[in-house]
Amino acid sequence: MRSVCLAVYLLCSLAVAPIETPEPDERIAVWPDRPLLEKSDDEVEYKNIIRIKKVTRPAVEFYKSKTAKANAPCVVIFPGGGYNILAYDLEGTEVAEWLNSIGVHAVVVKYTVPGNQREAALKDAQRAFSIVRSKAKAWGINPEQIGALGFSAGGHLAANLSTNYQKLNYEPIDGIDKFSCRPDFTVLIYPAYIYGEKNKRAMAPEIKVDAKTPPAFIVQTLDDRRLVDSAFNYTRALKDAKVDGELHLYAKGGHGYGLRPSVNPISGWPKLCGEWLKRTTQK
């Protein structure tokens, strides 16, 4: 009886144990008039995922790879969450850890939520990218090998940034805004909302792919039926613009898996992505 009670106690303890996330090497406020507080985000743990419910002070969080070579590439990560929350660990810090393990520096961006504030999020993304590029020398990053990686709504944000970098959506503030916010490459994992409101086979009007759009690596499953056209539309637009792109399409896997393993072949996407990053940044 004691052993049974102990087992139940241990299981309960595991169930309520808080999720531990790594600490960034540096944290920077995206906007100088909104400095970071020690605790500026509302976090909730739900089904083994840390969800940030409110970001009013956007942040850039830098994770330095201990195995990176000098002048290494960096990937700027935009977690998903429908523009209403951020899946902070599943699609943020866990991805930074993986990138660090393959010799790539990483940045997680806490962009404005909730309320589906896509325009505010794009401003955050533009400014965040310029910050990262301005820090390239200090952080040991190659300023010409900084990419954007987004999941779901974060995938839409990464695509939006990758096609709307020519003009800032806000008035320049300081010298940081002189640095380009154009990603050198783009990774979209089960991207969302890259389609028209009335016709999902039509491109979202804000996403304007052209010959100068960065090359992209895209991962999608067919059973993610509500959002699957996003990946198709972006891939088709890359083809029409004669921009390099890879679409990795799987039958099953659904949505919101991040890097976490499953029985489905989709779980092999990080290896393929790592190989693509290596090829793309060594050109």
Side-chain angles (χ1 to χ4, degrees):
M1 184 64 179
R2 285 185 178 179
S3 61
V4 172
C5 290
L6 179 60
V8 171
Y9 172 77
L10 288 173
L11 285 172
C12 291
S13 298
L14 289 171
V16 298
I19 301 172
E20 293 186 7
T21 57
E23 282 295 314
D25 293 273
E26 191 168 345
R27 183 182 284 113
I28 300 173
V30 169
W31 304 107
D33 63 342
R34 283 180 269 170
L36 302 182
L37 303 175
E38 185 175 342
K39 186 69 174 176
S40 60
D41 307 310
D42 295 325
E43 294 184 6
V44 59
E45 181 183 334
Y46 176 72
K47 293 184 178 179
N48 297 320
I49 299 174
I50 292 178
R51 299 184 173 203
I52 295 179
K53 299 188 296 179
K54 185 177 182 180
V55 177
T56 58
R57 296 169 182 261
V60 163
E61 297 183 341
F62 175 59
Y63 294 84
K64 186 177 181 65
S65 171
K66 305 302 187 289
T67 59
K69 296 179 180 178
N71 214 30
C74 178
V75 173
V76 180
I77 305 161
F78 300 103
Y83 284 110
N84 282 302
I85 61 101
L86 300 182
Y88 181 59
D89 57 340
L90 176 70
E91 297 169 351
T93 58
E94 291 175 11
V95 184
E97 288 186 286
W98 163 64
L99 288 165
N100 285 176
S101 75
I102 61 172
V104 177
H105 302 303
V107 168
V108 176
V109 179
K110 289 182 177 178
Y111 57 90
T112 302
V113 292
N116 200 9
Q117 300 183 62
R118 301 188 191 187
E119 291 185 10
L122 178 58
K123 293 176 184 179
D124 295 342
Q126 289 180 330
R127 172 77 177 179
F129 229 90
S130 295
I131 289 172
V132 174
R133 193 160 267 126
S134 75
K135 285 283 188 177
K137 185 175 182 180
W139 288 349
I141 293 170
N142 185 332
E144 296 180 355
Q145 293 183 357
I146 304 174
L149 186 160
F151 296 81
S152 193
H156 173 270
L157 181 54
N160 203 2
L161 175 65
S162 296
T163 58
N164 287 286
Y165 56 83
Q166 302 91 337
K167 183 178 184 299
L168 294 178
N169 281 33
Y170 59 92
E171 290 298 322
I173 299 168
D174 52 31
I176 288 172
D177 293 315
K178 295 180 180 178
F179 289 84
S180 171
C181 64
R182 179 189 181 273
D184 296 300
F185 53 87
T186 308
V187 178
L188 306 178
I189 311 300
Y190 45 86
Y193 316 136
I194 306 179
Y195 46 68
E197 287 186 16
K198 296 182 179 180
N199 180 7
K200 286 195 171 183
R201 296 192 179 189
M203 177 64 84
E206 69 275 10
I207 308 295
K208 299 177 177 66
V209 174
D210 60 25
K212 294 183 180 180
T213 298
F217 178 93
I218 305 166
V219 172
Q220 184 61 55
T221 62
L222 279 173
D223 64 350
D224 186 12
R225 302 193 187 283
R226 187 171 65 88
L227 301 174
V228 66
D229 288 292
S230 291
F232 294 160
N233 291 342
Y234 202 80
T235 303
R236 188 185 307 111
L238 291 173
K239 175 188 75 69
D240 292 345
K242 296 182 172 58
V243 175
D244 289 345
E246 285 191 18
L247 170 62
H248 294 264
L249 183 64
Y250 298 80
K252 297 185 182 298
H255 192 81
Y257 37 82
L259 291 168
R260 297 180 184 180
S262 71
V263 298
N264 298 307
I266 187 69
S267 295
W269 78 259
K271 182 176 185 297
L272 296 173
C273 185
E275 293 168 351
W276 181 84
L277 288 173
K278 186 174 182 180
R279 293 194 303 272
T280 301
T281 57
Q282 289 184 349
K283 288 182 180 180

